[in-house]
Amino acid sequence: MLLLWLLNRYGLFMNRPMRTRRGATLASLAAELGVSRTTVSNAYNRPDQLSPELRRRVLETARRLGYPGPDPVARSLRTRKAGAVGLLLTENLSYAFRDPAAVGVLEGLALACEDAGVGLHLVPASPGREEVAAVHRAGVDGFVVYSVPDDDPHLAAVLSRPVPTVIVDQPRLDGVDRVSPDDETAIVSVADHVAGLGHRQIGVLCMRLGRDRNDGFASVDRQQRAHYHVQRTRLAALARTFEAVGVDWNTVPVVERFDHTVDDGATAARQLLDTYPRVTAIICTSDILALGALAEAGRRGLRVPADLTITGFDGIAEASRAGLTTVHQPVLEKGRAAGRLLLSASDRVKPEVITLPTELRVGTTSAPPRTAEEQWFGP
Amino acid sequence: MLLLWLLNRYGLFMNRPMRTRRGATLASLAAELGVSRTTVSNAYNRPDQLSPELRRRVLETARRLGYPGPDPVARSLRTRKAGAVGLLLTENLSYAFRDPAAVGVLEGLALACEDAGVGLHLVPASPGREEVAAVHRAGVDGFVVYSVPDDDPHLAAVLSRPVPTVIVDQPRLDGVDRVSPDDETAIVSVADHVAGLGHRQIGVLCMRLGRDRNDGFASVDRQQRAHYHVQRTRLAALARTFEAVGVDWNTVPVVERFDHTVDDGATAARQLLDTYPRVTAIICTSDILALGALAEAGRRGLRVPADLTITGFDGIAEASRAGLTTVHQPVLEKGRAAGRLLLSASDRVKPEVITLPTELRVGTTSAPPRTAEEQWFGP
DNA sequence: GTGAAAGCGCTAACAC
DNA sequence: GTGTTAGCGCTTTCAC
């Protein structure tokens, strides 16, 4: 039994006349049964189109011949439906799977796909790899693109394909569906909160601003030229808000990190505090970085928020556990909305942009700065 | 420009004579250029087969006509290569993405796929859904099946497809490639450790034993009939080890949980301790459950390991952070090995089984039991 | 270096 | 309820 199965599996077991040594096809099944291909096809796809008895015979013969049912690729070619959604994620997977915000999006997207009964095809695309062939090779009905830089070659490849595309977060492209939080409002709410507390000596920790690695301070020029729309927007909004309360943005240190881990957040905070020890608040463009900053503050014996205010962005579970002041965005919903949008794309004609709500969550890591006197003499 | 692009995108923009309103094809491109289809195909797939000049012309015309390159599905049909690996995961994705062990496997698999430049196709298959159509619809070159019950219908569907399959962890099927840790040895090392410390009043927390929900005590019969090979093996090995030191396994409470979360581990521990307060050690078949048990112990004011020994299984990062005594298994390697095995499947003929090493890691959650006197009068 | 012929395996009209 | 016809869009010998 097992032997037969193996032989059959490896295509060595052919009990039907055939030129090649491959398995049975719908045509060969039809021939064996003495019916037309249509009938066999119907047995699988439209059970109501043929008598139960005939259907039983077809399926039974199929089993006997080891016919595994209609070939999905051939069917896709014919029906012009791949039954899968592509996900483009230009990030190390090892990282993507560890970032709760990314996992949330992935999960939401997967849920939407599951609801629709379509597969989720992860396109292999590491950050370094310029190879976009994988995008062209993916047999999918559409793509979800998650947070890539403006000039990502994979994104260009995706857009060149004649299938609907939904971008999550970034970049912002006219004519392309998008799902993203109201980034501007969100970051402004944090900035207002921090500025409102009275902080004027601030520092910023941000994520990668370009496809090139720059682990260190980011000049205003670099900030403005950032290839990542989200970071660019957040920094610009911060600049505007603090300029409005009299802070010269040119004097505000912004530390960039290529990788996005808690450790990187910690080293970024260290770099910031080593050079600018008088900073009273660190605004981070992500919770992950903020958690790192929190760790570094602890290491230096700085009390948060008494000595230092730290804020994040995203509202991941770890952040609320740590009591981080942050902006929450519904990441799972983001992914799910993207999936739904994509799967309903054929119904629409005009590009749609879904903006998700965000919410400032004041935790225990933000407070008014100590006065200069307090700083030197204690409260 | 944008308008043109949009029109083209939605197939309304046809500058070529065509019956349908769909985009250009390789054939239409060839016609336009006055060359054969072969030449156009070569321009994409075998650049060395035609003059650079001609190739340039082809690509240039393609761009002009908005031809997105060879259709991946048609190509797959012709080449009999889908360029994707299917992943069958009969578990709520929301859970799968939260379980570090599962994420590790996923990540390793994704890495292997990335190395090979093939996509990873997540098959939509929730636990409840009996719908196996998605398996048949997936255009993939093979499947990786991650930890499903013996009688999973999706698994049956996968095996009916004429593509190679690699099973990770469970079930154990003759003739099918598999990658799994040495479960037996691993759990015995924990059991020996606990038994060696002198524990005789033990309790066990285990994961789902069948596709039916049974949140509560699991009879020996149920243990032995478990549809999940891994759990069955682990429980059997525990039974054997403790019987060997004089414990009657019939008296050992085993609490089962359908869902696999820290909270479930906590409620399971509560149920166990409420009914069997004299238990001195809780052996858990996963770190997640053990972390829950740890939390519950804290809630009850039980000191670990002074009052209660707790052990886990998997060696996830959270476990080492908590100092949990556990068995570590290389989850990332497991996924990567599965991917490599699958992608090299055509080279082999005989089924291969890869067994990964495990390692007992004694932490700070295991110690000898207090004597009866100590229990009542303190140390 | 280029082209002609021959399908890959299937489904959707439409006719019977 | 069942069969006939006509491709879906592509690659791949093999000839020229």
Side-chain angles (χ1 to χ4, degrees):
Chain A
M1 193 54 222
L2 173 63
L3 181 61
L4 284 186
W5 180 81
L6 271 175
L7 285 170
N8 188 31
R9 177 145 186 236
Y10 290 99
L12 309 172
F13 180 51
M14 289 287 92
N15 55 1
R16 307 222 50 262
M18 278 220 168
R19 214 167 309 131
T20 67
R21 43 173 44 186
R22 273 196 274 85
T25 70
L26 187 143
S28 66
L29 223 196
E32 173 84 19
L33 280 157
V35 300
S36 82
R37 301 199 297 276
T38 308
T39 301
V40 178
S41 176
N42 283 339
Y44 285 95
N45 304 318
R46 304 185 166 173
D48 52 311
Q49 296 294 298
L50 68 178
S51 65
E53 165 54 18
L54 178 55
R55 174 150 196 264
R56 202 196 51 67
R57 256 185 67 215
V58 172
L59 265 32
E60 145 75 31
T61 310
R63 186 161 44 250
R64 184 162 58 74
L65 262 49
Y67 175 63
D71 178 285
V73 174
R75 164 187 274 157
S76 288
L77 176 58
R78 185 64 242 239
T79 61
R80 320 204 55 73
K81 283 256 140 273
V85 164
L87 173 62
L88 179 66
L89 197 72
T90 317
E91 191 48 83
N92 275 317
L93 289 164
S94 45
Y95 153 66
F97 287 137
R98 293 200 192 308
D99 180 6
V103 167
V105 171
L106 189 54
E107 188 185 329
L109 176 57
L111 287 172
C113 288
E114 204 161 77
D115 283 349
V118 306
L120 182 55
H121 179 120
L122 273 45
V123 177
S126 354
R129 162 192 297 234
E130 294 285 307
E131 183 72 275
V132 298
V135 171
H136 288 119
R137 237 187 287 280
V140 298
D141 299 318
F143 286 95
V144 169
V145 175
Y146 176 57
S147 196
V148 304
D150 303 342
D151 55 350
D152 190 302
H154 298 275
L155 171 60
V158 163
L159 293 176
S160 80
R161 297 247 336 232
V163 293
T165 298
V166 174
I167 294 178
V168 175
D169 284 358
Q170 56 186 346
R172 220 157 265 212
L173 253 40
D174 289 335
V176 181
D177 291 346
R178 179 161 43 83
V179 177
S180 55
D182 188 350
D183 242 326
E184 170 102 14
T185 307
I187 193 74
V188 166
S189 71
V190 178
D192 281 345
H193 171 67
V194 174
L197 289 170
H199 293 276
R200 293 299 179 270
Q201 304 268 20
I202 66 161
V204 176
L205 264 42
C206 73
M207 295 159 68
R208 187 188 304 171
L209 296 180
R211 292 170 58 209
D212 57 318
R213 179 181 289 270
N214 171 47
D215 289 326
F217 291 96
S219 67
V220 172
D221 183 59
R222 183 172 172 88
Q223 295 170 35
Q224 289 168 348
R225 293 191 192 293
H227 286 308
Y228 284 87
H229 184 270
V230 168
Q231 300 298 308
R232 204 168 59 224
T233 308
R234 293 188 189 168
L235 291 171
L238 286 176
R240 216 173 324 108
T241 308
F242 280 96
E243 294 267 0
V245 294
V247 174
D248 177 3
W249 189 254
N250 292 293
T251 69
V252 174
V254 174
V255 180
E256 172 183 353
R257 280 294 179 273
F258 189 83
D259 294 320
H260 185 225
T261 67
V262 173
D263 277 351
D264 284 291
T267 65
R270 183 175 317 145
Q271 192 171 5
L272 178 67
L273 292 170
D274 281 350
T275 319
Y276 296 82
R278 301 187 53 198
V279 153
T280 63
I282 301 182
I283 295 180
C284 308
T285 63
S286 84
D287 285 348
I288 295 283
L289 294 178
L291 291 173
L294 227 39
E296 174 62 15
R299 221 165 280 138
R300 300 171 93 95
L302 290 172
R303 290 164 307 165
V304 175
D307 303 326
L308 185 66
T309 280
I310 295 178
T311 67
F313 198 108
D314 282 342
I316 62 178
E318 286 83 338
S320 22
R321 256 178 252 137
L324 191 67
T325 291
T326 187
V327 180
H328 175 264
Q329 60 164 320
V331 286
L332 192 136
E333 267 321 310
K334 212 162 60 174
R336 201 204 301 257
R340 292 210 182 122
L341 195 55
L342 185 63
L343 292 166
S344 69
S346 47
D347 305 347
R348 291 171 289 102
V349 173
K350 306 212 168 167
E352 186 157 337
V353 173
I354 295 182
T355 302
L356 267 29
T358 59
E359 179 201 349
L360 177 66
R361 292 193 176 165
V362 177
T364 56
T365 62
S366 54
R370 314 177 77 187
T371 64
E373 277 164 74
E374 282 172 349
Q375 272 189 42
W376 301 115
F377 306 109
Chain B
M1 192 54 221
L2 173 62
L3 181 60
L4 284 185
W5 179 81
L6 270 175
L7 285 171
N8 187 32
R9 176 146 186 236
Y10 290 100
L12 309 171
F13 179 52
M14 290 286 91
N15 55 3
R16 307 223 49 262
M18 277 218 168
R19 214 168 308 135
T20 69
R21 43 173 45 186
R22 275 197 274 83
T25 69
L26 186 143
S28 67
L29 224 195
E32 173 83 18
L33 279 157
V35 301
S36 80
R37 301 200 296 276
T38 307
T39 302
V40 178
S41 176
N42 282 338
Y44 285 95
N45 304 318
R46 304 186 165 169
D48 52 311
Q49 296 293 297
L50 71 176
S51 66
E53 165 53 17
L54 178 53
R55 174 151 196 264
R56 201 195 52 67
R57 258 185 66 216
V58 173
L59 265 33
E60 145 75 30
T61 309
R63 186 161 45 250
R64 185 162 56 74
L65 261 49
Y67 175 63
D71 178 285
V73 174
R75 165 187 271 157
S76 289
L77 176 57
R78 187 62 240 238
T79 61
R80 320 203 54 72
K81 283 252 139 276
V85 164
L87 174 60
L88 179 66
L89 199 70
T90 317
E91 192 48 83
N92 275 316
L93 289 163
S94 46
Y95 152 66
F97 287 137
R98 294 200 193 307
D99 179 7
V103 167
V105 171
L106 189 54
E107 187 185 331
L109 177 56
L111 287 172
C113 289
E114 204 161 76
D115 284 348
V118 306
L120 182 55
H121 179 118
L122 274 44
V123 176
S126 351
R129 159 191 298 236
E130 296 283 308
E131 183 70 277
V132 298
V135 171
H136 289 119
R137 239 189 285 281
V140 298
D141 299 318
F143 286 94
V144 169
V145 176
Y146 177 57
S147 197
V148 304
D150 303 342
D151 55 351
D152 190 302
H154 298 275
L155 171 60
V158 162
L159 293 177
S160 80
R161 297 243 342 228
V163 293
T165 299
V166 174
I167 293 178
V168 175
D169 284 358
Q170 57 186 346
R172 220 158 264 213
L173 253 41
D174 289 335
V176 181
D177 292 345
R178 179 161 43 82
V179 177
S180 55
D182 188 349
D183 241 326
E184 169 103 13
T185 307
I187 193 73
V188 166
S189 70
V190 178
D192 281 345
H193 172 66
V194 174
L197 288 170
H199 293 276
R200 294 297 179 273
Q201 303 268 21
I202 66 162
V204 176
L205 265 43
C206 73
M207 295 161 68
R208 187 188 303 172
L209 297 180
R211 292 168 61 207
D212 57 319
R213 180 181 288 268
N214 171 48
D215 288 327
F217 291 96
S219 67
V220 172
D221 183 57
R222 185 173 171 86
Q223 294 172 35
Q224 289 169 347
R225 294 191 190 292
H227 285 310
Y228 284 86
H229 184 270
V230 169
Q231 300 297 309
R232 205 168 57 223
T233 308
R234 293 187 190 169
L235 290 172
L238 286 176
R240 215 171 326 109
T241 308
F242 279 96
E243 293 267 1
V245 294
V247 173
D248 176 2
W249 190 253
N250 292 294
T251 69
V252 174
V254 174
V255 180
E256 172 182 354
R257 278 295 178 272
F258 189 82
D259 293 321
H260 185 224
T261 68
V262 173
D263 277 351
D264 284 292
T267 64
R270 183 174 319 143
Q271 192 170 6
L272 178 67
L273 292 169
D274 281 350
T275 319
Y276 296 82
R278 303 186 53 197
V279 153
T280 62
I282 301 182
I283 296 179
C284 308
T285 63
S286 85
D287 285 350
I288 295 282
L289 294 177
L291 290 172
L294 227 39
E296 174 62 15
R299 220 166 279 137
R300 302 172 91 94
L302 290 174
R303 292 165 304 167
V304 175
D307 301 326
L308 186 65
T309 281
I310 295 178
T311 67
F313 198 108
D314 281 343
I316 63 178
E318 286 82 338
S320 25
R321 256 179 252 137
L324 190 68
T325 291
T326 187
V327 180
H328 175 266
Q329 59 163 321
V331 285
L332 192 136
E333 267 321 310
K334 212 162 62 173
R336 200 205 301 258
R340 292 210 182 121
L341 194 56
L342 185 63
L343 292 166
S344 70
S346 48
D347 305 347
R348 290 171 291 102
V349 173
K350 305 214 169 165
E352 187 159 334
V353 172
I354 295 183
T355 302
L356 265 30
T358 59
E359 179 201 350
L360 177 66
R361 292 193 177 166
V362 177
T364 56
T365 62
S366 54
R370 311 177 79 190
T371 63
E373 278 164 75
E374 281 172 350
Q375 272 189 42
W376 301 115
F377 306 109

